[in-house]
Amino acid sequence: MKISKRAQQLSPSVTLAASSKAKKLKSEGKDVLNLTVGEPDFATPKNIQEAAIQAITDGRASYYTPSAGIPQLREAVVEMIRKVYGLDYEAKNVIITDGAKYSLYLLFQAMLDVGDEVIIPVPYWVSYGEQVKLAEGTPVFVSCKQENEFKVTVEQLEAARTKQTKAMILNSPSNPTGMIYTEAELTAIGNWAVEHDIMIISDDIYGQLVYNGNTFTPIATISEEIRKQTIIINGVSKSYAMTGWRIGYTIANEELIGAMNNIASHSTSNPTAVSQYAAVEALNGSQETVEEMRQAFEARLNTIYPKAAALPGFKLMKPQGAFYLFPNIRETLTLCGYDNVTDWVDDLLDEAYVALVTGEGFGSADHIRISYASDLAVLEQAIERIAAFIDKKIQANN
Ligand code: PMP
Ligand code: GLU
């Protein structure tokens, strides 16, 4: 049997591939420090776990749910958006999905026809382009400059715009760069999108993970016109340490939510019931643990950033949010006698047992991504190992 062209043209998720490789080595007894995947190391907070257990023992988790999600969870999302964003939506504007990743998947399936273009600023999160291609749309990649904190400008967007441009993706705080768009930048981008009737897909998944006095402004809050042009993507994975539960959501106009819901009803039926009950508690319950975890990430960033920045040849900006460092290591490669990041990352894993992700999956061959969603001792040890590895390579190269 021949595999479909659709599947053949797809590359696997580099983040998940790197994480699987690291986990496999670990299971073989190797002392691997895994800084690959963007996954909080914390256990899901107790109150959320208990809500899930309760839903199981009550028998509520045994059954299919409405495919757009249980009403309580759609209402909890509406309430959260009212409190945190100050925006009024109704439950009919919300669909609950199997992670934010499946929100994006459904969205592209529901909004794109063959040849419709989606502008994706580079560096980007690994799945955007592949998901657009799966919907037979065309990703249009726009390279952002490190000097501009890897943020896309209206001039760049305008240069990329064609008659086929249907949407653009905005991910602030960004995975992998950690940068946050300012209100002025969002206003300019939002007004441009309104003027040309281009939908803004606002991936807000790291919105609660901002550090050192930086603030996150959701683009949907800039003006009523921009809000109408915006589709909000979010989920509980990152802020509530719930990656394994697979709950995300989309907020958009009723027509689009309905189209996504039709596709969901024929593909997953509904997100796992027990996870939905857990997510209700995540959104409605005490937010104290969210703040505690945010503070822990902030402390890790503040400890680890100066050490990473001091590594030979590493060029990186201090992230403002999310939980990744994204250094340009072109100079390090030269010092170490390598010509590409992939070989360097492979050798770092094989020789020093530190697992990272290459920048290639994020659209940048000169970078690596380091997830700092691990505990401080692991992070510090990893930096020491990377320093020793670089030292060894520099000596061998001289
Ligand atoms: N968007 C971004 C930018 C991400 O980093 C992730 C992490 N996987 C997702 C969406 C999807 O998250 P999830 O499916 O776990 O909700
Ligand atoms: N978003 C996380 C990351 O970038 C999880 C892995 C994935 O879904 O790709 O590492």
Side-chain angles (χ1 to χ4, degrees):
M1 187 208 63
K2 209 159 133 263
I3 298 297
S4 73
K5 289 199 185 76
R6 192 183 312 108
Q8 281 185 44
Q9 59 147 15
L10 201 65
S11 29
S13 161
V14 290
T15 47
L16 297 183
S19 157
S20 306
K21 190 173 169 190
K23 283 179 181 162
K24 181 168 176 286
L25 282 172
K26 230 174 167 164
S27 73
E28 290 165 3
K30 304 280 189 322
D31 171 27
V32 173
L33 304 176
N34 185 1
L35 312 185
T36 57
V37 77
E39 167 163 78
D41 56 324
F42 303 110
T44 302
K46 263 269 163 337
N47 60 317
I48 301 174
Q49 293 183 21
E50 278 159 10
I53 292 165
Q54 193 65 51
I56 292 172
T57 48
D58 283 358
R60 281 175 291 146
S62 303
Y63 307 104
Y64 291 130
T65 76
S67 61
I70 53 174
Q72 307 89 298
L73 184 51
R74 294 172 87 188
E75 280 301 335
V77 170
V78 166
E79 199 41 48
M80 189 282 285
I81 290 290
R82 192 170 294 138
K83 264 204 297 235
V84 180
Y85 286 47
L87 296 176
D88 279 326
Y89 285 94
E90 293 177 47
K92 65 184 183 196
N93 300 118
V94 178
I95 181 170
I96 310 298
T97 58
D98 303 77
K101 194 181 252 181
Y102 198 60
S103 262
L104 287 159
Y105 182 86
L106 287 176
L107 172 64
F108 295 130
Q109 294 291 329
M111 81 185 293
L112 298 179
D113 277 317
V114 177
D116 282 345
E117 295 177 1
V118 179
I119 298 178
I120 303 178
V122 183
Y124 46 75
W125 175 52
V126 287
S127 295
Y128 295 142
E130 298 305 307
Q131 291 203 353
V132 168
K133 285 197 265 172
L134 278 172
E136 298 188 82
T138 305
V140 174
F141 296 108
V142 173
S143 254
C144 303
K145 297 196 173 72
Q146 188 146 351
E147 303 86 83
N148 194 42
E149 299 183 335
F150 291 119
K151 292 189 272 194
V152 74
T153 63
V154 167
E155 291 68 37
Q156 289 178 306
L157 290 169
E158 186 55 18
R161 184 172 65 84
T162 72
K163 283 203 179 71
Q164 280 72 47
T165 310
K166 185 125 187 201
M168 65 160 294
I169 295 179
L170 187 83
N171 177 217
S172 170
S174 151
N175 175 4
T177 70
M179 291 299 147
I180 300 177
Y181 284 73
T182 64
E183 236 174 277
E185 289 162 343
L186 295 172
T187 305
I189 291 171
N191 289 339
W192 170 86
V194 169
E195 188 188 335
H196 301 292
D197 193 18
I198 290 167
M199 295 309 292
I200 303 162
I201 300 168
S202 184
D203 182 344
D204 297 356
I205 199 147
Y206 296 102
Q208 283 168 287
L209 296 172
V210 298
Y211 315 117
N212 299 312
N214 286 294
T215 51
F216 160 64
T217 305
I219 193 164
T221 63
I222 298 281
S223 73
E224 177 55 15
E225 280 178 310
I226 295 174
R227 185 194 65 75
K228 284 196 193 132
Q229 204 68 33
T230 302
I231 298 157
I232 300 172
I233 304 284
N234 209 329
V236 296
S237 284
K238 315 291 175 175
S239 330
Y240 297 94
M242 290 180 74
T243 49
W245 299 78
R246 313 305 306 127
I247 296 291
Y249 50 87
T250 304
I251 302 163
N253 70 51
E254 194 181 352
E255 192 189 2
L256 181 58
I257 295 296
M260 290 170 69
N261 191 21
N262 277 343
I263 302 169
S265 74
H266 287 295
S267 50
T268 58
S269 295
N270 62 261
T272 308
V274 66
S275 297
Q276 294 189 60
Y277 289 106
V280 170
E281 173 61 21
L283 295 178
N284 288 349
S286 160
Q287 302 297 300
E288 244 170 66
T289 45
V290 177
E291 176 56 14
E292 279 165 25
M293 291 189 279
R294 189 201 67 76
Q295 285 178 14
F297 290 130
E298 183 175 78
R300 292 168 183 185
L301 169 65
N302 290 342
T303 308
I304 222 64
Y305 170 77
K307 295 186 188 213
L311 290 169
F314 271 49
K315 299 223 170 353
L316 72 157
M317 287 173 301
K318 186 164 184 181
Q320 300 163 330
F323 34 55
Y324 310 101
L325 301 180
F326 196 60
N328 181 321
I329 63 156
R330 181 50 53 192
E331 215 175 289
T332 313
L333 295 179
T334 308
L335 292 170
C336 293
Y338 284 72
D339 58 13
N340 70 82
V341 170
T342 306
D343 288 347
W344 190 91
V345 166
D346 281 349
D347 286 355
L348 181 72
L349 178 56
D350 292 340
E351 297 172 31
Y353 296 132
V354 177
L356 311 170
V357 190
T358 65
E360 266 159 359
F362 305 88
S364 176
D366 286 341
H367 291 78
I368 52 172
R369 193 192 74 171
I370 302 173
S371 163
Y372 58 86
S374 294
D375 79 56
L376 212 40
V378 169
L379 291 168
E380 287 186 312
Q381 209 186 339
I383 295 287
E384 277 169 27
R385 288 194 198 175
I386 297 170
F389 173 79
I390 294 173
D391 234 36
K392 184 178 83 176
K393 294 294 169 185
I394 292 176
Q395 278 179 28
N397 192 35
N398 278 325

